[in-house]
Amino acid sequence: MSAVVEKPAALDEAAFADLKAELTAWVTGPGEEWAERIEATGDVPPELFAELRERGYLSLAAPPALGGRGIPFPRYLELMEIVSRSHASVRMLVHVINGTWRAMAPYATPQQLDEIVKPSVAGDALVAFTLTEPTAGTGADLRTTVRREGDTYYLNGEKHLITFGVKCDYWLLAARLEGTRGHEGTVALLVPNDGLPGVEVVDDSETMGVRGTDHAILRFRDVPVPVSTRLGDEGQGLEVALGGFLLPSRVSVAMSCVGLAERAQELAIEYANRRETFGKKLRDRQAVQFYLAENYADIAAARALVLQAARAYEDGAPDAGALSSASKMVAVDMLARVTDKALQIHGGQGYWHRNAIERVYRDARAQRFEEGTNEIQKLVVARAVLDGTAGF
């Protein structure tokens, strides 16, 4: 196992404040222009990816040893909060690329670090997290299998809902050795998306929201994959996927809910301040005031829990897993309430595509299943509560 993931250095607060100001200016300026272009075309253009890379927004969280800025996780989430006020596909790129290294780096060989992990952090290679299956959940019931013959695995199975699965350079894929059950025998592989025989990639990108981000259905039939592509040892596949990526990623998604809710609230306030009915501004109507007050409290409460979960993860606290799931569980429910009230404040105008709240409302629905549904999060939290590891 690699020792490249070091503790972050002390943060230069003045430089960090400048970075937050720069990012805010980009989100409210060029970011909005990109959002309009993405919605019009249904595609994230290569120029946008290049701009995010050149600005360093894809390498915020990784340690300097990997080419990143080494921003501590709770402080990185302050940046994710800002990014999430932008288009959902922008948020998705920043979120995924700033997160997949966490799963790869602790288990990568020196060669994998140089050829895949560091280029991923730099934004020169795109890695798609490849866990979810159409006939199983996202854990120990994996059905995608590998059969080992010498130095080669033969991969069989199907994955779906794989974000960036069409355009990525590598699939960070979880499978299991044929004949094994549970966590035993699971493996994590860095499978190159370069035309391997037996791979079928189906573009499944037509979604309700998060327009522009590609999604794939992947089918594997006796695909030869070198054993050297494996991350860690046999039996560590779910350790890589769940602890390395999903635990912090759930906290990041929770903060993305906070950022998007803040954008919805901002749009609602703007509309309430300008819209007049029966000679009276919406802002002066008690029902609207109550909506905005409830949204404010909802957002503040969720944000506090997300930051608590982030600190627990960074400190390696025993309740980090429970807090990760709890933060996402609370944040996605909060986002649903806030966006619904924000849309209601807009009245019928909010239903039309020309108004930003319509996109925000559609995009908000995706977080309810991203990195596991709330039903899954509740099971994780309940297990921790019952076995005494949840803490208070």
Side-chain angles (χ1 to χ4, degrees):
M1 185 181 294
S2 171
V4 74
V5 184
E6 71 268 13
K7 274 284 188 181
L11 195 65
D12 182 332
E13 292 293 344
F16 186 69
D18 289 343
L19 176 58
K20 289 180 72 172
E22 172 200 323
L23 185 58
T24 299
W26 186 87
V27 165
T28 56
E32 279 300 297
E33 295 173 12
W34 282 118
E36 292 174 7
R37 180 172 169 182
I38 293 169
E39 285 297 305
T41 64
D43 185 53
V44 174
E47 309 95 277
L48 172 56
F49 190 95
E51 184 172 334
L52 294 171
R53 180 181 63 232
E54 289 160 10
R55 287 180 168 273
Y57 298 161
L58 305 180
S59 54
L60 297 166
L66 295 178
R69 298 197 192 189
I71 295 172
F73 187 57
R75 308 308 300 277
Y76 159 71
L77 289 187
E78 295 178 33
L79 303 177
M80 177 53 58
E81 181 180 4
I82 297 170
V83 171
S84 301
R85 298 170 192 158
S86 185
H87 192 278
S89 282
V90 173
R91 191 275 300 181
M92 191 70 80
L93 282 167
V94 175
H95 161 67
V96 171
I97 296 174
N98 276 285
T100 47
W101 68 269
R102 296 182 188 278
M104 296 186 287
Y107 304 91
T109 65
Q111 183 176 357
Q112 288 170 331
L113 284 172
D114 289 337
E115 295 182 359
I116 303 175
V117 182
K118 290 179 181 179
S120 172
V121 170
D124 295 327
L126 183 57
V127 178
F129 185 67
T130 309
L131 178 63
T132 307
E133 300 181 359
T135 57
T138 53
D141 59 343
L142 286 173
R143 296 185 181 181
T144 297
T145 63
V146 291
R147 181 182 72 257
R148 183 167 181 172
E149 296 181 10
D151 292 333
T152 302
Y153 287 125
Y154 289 89
L155 176 65
N156 285 278
E158 184 173 343
K159 301 287 186 178
H160 74 164
L161 309 182
I162 305 304
T163 301
F164 305 128
V166 178
K167 298 178 182 177
C168 68
D169 299 291
Y170 296 90
W171 297 300
L172 172 53
L173 184 144
R176 66 169 60 260
L177 292 169
E178 285 186 354
T180 63
R181 295 189 175 196
H183 287 68
E184 178 190 355
T186 58
V187 294
L189 306 171
L190 283 168
V191 181
N193 180 12
D194 61 359
L196 285 171
V199 176
E200 180 186 3
V201 179
V202 179
D203 192 331
D204 194 33
S205 302
E206 290 299 316
T207 54
M208 176 190 294
V210 198
R211 285 175 58 81
T213 294
D214 74 89
H215 306 276
I217 297 170
L218 305 172
R219 299 187 180 107
F220 306 98
R221 184 171 181 179
D222 271 343
V223 178
V225 180
V227 170
S228 61
T229 66
R230 191 183 68 222
L231 280 168
D233 299 325
E234 292 181 350
Q236 287 188 304
L238 287 182
E239 180 182 323
V240 173
L242 302 181
F245 182 76
L246 278 184
L247 194 159
S249 186
R250 283 169 176 164
V251 186
S252 184
V253 170
M255 185 56 95
S256 79
C257 294
V258 172
L260 192 57
E262 289 169 344
R263 177 59 175 152
Q265 176 81 331
E266 178 182 71
L267 291 168
I269 292 168
E270 289 174 359
Y271 192 78
N273 278 327
R274 71 173 184 268
R275 173 67 166 150
E276 185 176 302
T277 60
F278 302 101
K280 191 175 185 180
K281 295 282 189 182
L282 287 185
R283 60 167 293 149
D284 296 323
R285 299 190 178 280
Q286 188 179 66
V288 171
Q289 292 173 354
F290 282 7
Y291 279 165
L292 293 173
E294 290 162 358
N295 282 356
Y296 173 83
D298 241 355
I299 293 168
R303 188 177 190 274
L305 180 57
V306 171
L307 290 175
Q308 181 184 355
R311 290 188 292 268
Y313 168 75
E314 186 178 48
D315 295 340
D319 60 348
L323 283 169
S324 169
S325 288
S327 69
K328 182 176 184 293
M329 183 175 77
V330 167
V332 296
D333 282 348
M334 173 276 296
L335 180 59
R337 291 190 296 269
V338 168
T339 52
D340 191 65
K341 290 169 186 170
L343 185 66
Q344 187 67 16
I345 288 171
H346 281 76
Q349 289 287 339
Y351 197 68
W352 261 250
H353 186 67
R354 66 178 180 272
N355 291 304
I357 190 63
E358 184 268 348
R359 167 172 57 84
V360 169
Y361 188 80
R362 280 187 290 109
D363 286 345
R365 193 62 180 81
Q367 275 94 323
R368 297 192 68 153
F369 58 82
E370 189 178 345
E371 316 300 32
T373 63
N374 261 16
E375 289 73 19
I376 291 294
Q377 310 311 327
K378 289 174 184 178
L379 289 174
V380 172
V381 174
R383 193 178 303 123
V385 168
L386 290 169
D387 66 20
T389 60
F392 285 102

